[in-house]
Amino acid sequence: MKKKLIATLFGLPCVMAWASSEVTSDWGYQAQTAPQYWSQLNSKYQTCAGHNQSPINIEHVISADLAALDFDYKTAATSIVKLPHTLQANFHQGSYLSLEGERFQLLQMHLHSPSENTIHGKNFPMELHLVHASEKGELAVVAVMYEQGKKNQALDGLWQQYRQPQKALNLNADQFLPTHREYYRFNGSLTTPPCTEGVRWVVLKDIQQASAQQIANFAALMGYPNNRPVQATNARLVLD
């Protein structure tokens, strides 16, 4: 799927593979553009007040025979850019996630701090989102949680390559996947405007570690927390 087609289909800050960090935004995380006002800021953002929004607190789960995740990440990043509300790595075409009989191409990954989703009410210092799209325009997001601990080599590579843009990129998303890939599965939305619903969410259970310095570096880069508060689960099921 060509990037131009992806942009045409979605037109979403969270999904498009931006070629530049020169992007402006009419929404944010502070003051009058904070998450509680998103649905009022623009008529295109009314879905932010919907009933199947993300993130959520993963608390009550239904036991299910979930199929193993099939990652086929072969391509490297094309760029690493600081957008108004995150640090994002965009990827060449050719990396895929197979989920529930469908194939989703990896578009980009980006960071939130602190985490957006919570598990049994626990918030984590950082959360990585790997954003995918199918040929039909359906979206899938894989979330990786980070707790404070030892230095994370994959995050260090992301940071170093962002800080040294003159060097050739050598970053593969496979480096960010945990060894154990059991997961929670639920339906939700994008966590940024326009908060499009119908997104397939996969939250990996294997919590990764990041050093205090790595967490502080990202927090300092953003200058404010860039996490949307948890939304009501309502009638949705979370599969385990």
Side-chain angles (χ1 to χ4, degrees):
M1 187 187 300
K2 295 181 179 179
K3 290 179 183 177
K4 184 177 181 181
L5 176 59
I6 293 168
T8 302
L9 284 172
F10 307 124
L12 308 179
C14 190
V15 173
M16 283 185 60
W18 298 103
S20 168
S21 59
E22 298 300 320
V23 180
T24 58
S25 177
D26 60 354
W27 58 270
Y29 293 93
Q30 299 174 300
Q32 299 306 308
T33 63
Q36 64 265 36
Y37 302 113
W38 286 351
S39 64
Q40 306 166 34
L41 295 176
N42 189 315
S43 60
K44 297 179 180 179
Y45 304 163
Q46 291 181 1
T47 305
C48 295
H51 296 289
N52 293 292
Q53 290 290 291
S54 295
I56 64 169
N57 174 44
I58 297 171
E59 184 71 44
H60 303 291
V61 299
I62 303 296
S63 181
D65 186 17
L66 296 174
L69 298 171
D70 183 6
F71 292 98
D72 185 17
Y73 287 171
K74 295 179 179 178
T75 58
T78 60
S79 61
I80 301 171
V81 294
K82 180 184 178 299
L83 300 176
H85 305 307
T86 193
L87 180 66
Q88 178 171 304
N90 304 308
F91 287 87
H92 287 286
Q93 298 178 51
S95 288
Y96 296 93
L97 162 68
S98 295
L99 176 67
E100 298 167 352
E102 293 199 44
R103 200 177 189 215
F104 296 83
Q105 179 166 262
L106 175 66
L107 304 181
Q108 50 97 336
M109 66 181 189
H110 61 269
L111 290 164
H112 294 274
S113 181
S115 71
E116 297 200 299
N117 293 289
T118 60
I119 300 176
H120 300 298
K122 181 178 179 178
N123 190 271
F124 296 86
M126 190 178 294
E127 180 175 348
L128 176 75
H129 290 167
L130 298 121
V131 183
H132 309 72
S134 72
E135 290 187 353
K136 295 188 294 185
E138 297 177 343
L139 301 176
V141 178
V142 175
V144 180
M145 301 295 189
Y146 294 87
E147 62 185 0
Q148 185 173 314
K150 64 182 181 181
K151 185 177 182 180
N152 186 287
Q153 294 303 316
L155 286 175
D156 193 53
L158 172 66
W159 183 256
Q160 294 301 327
Q161 292 183 64
Y162 165 68
R163 301 292 291 176
Q164 299 174 328
Q166 71 278 6
K167 291 189 176 182
L169 292 178
N170 181 28
L171 189 74
N172 189 298
D174 190 62
Q175 302 166 347
F176 294 84
L177 296 175
T179 301
H180 304 290
R181 297 175 183 177
E182 292 82 10
Y183 61 97
Y184 300 106
R185 170 73 179 87
F186 60 91
N187 291 329
S189 73
L190 295 177
T191 64
T192 59
C195 306
T196 304
E197 294 186 341
V199 177
R200 303 185 193 198
W201 274 88
V202 169
V203 176
L204 297 179
K205 296 181 181 181
D206 191 358
I207 309 302
Q208 302 303 287
Q209 293 189 353
S211 69
Q213 187 61 59
Q214 289 178 311
I215 296 167
N217 284 344
F218 179 70
L221 178 68
M222 297 313 303
Y224 53 83
N226 69 332
N227 65 318
R228 186 188 192 189
V230 294
Q231 306 295 299
T233 305
N234 295 318
R236 284 177 286 173
L237 299 179
V238 179
L239 303 182
D240 181 359

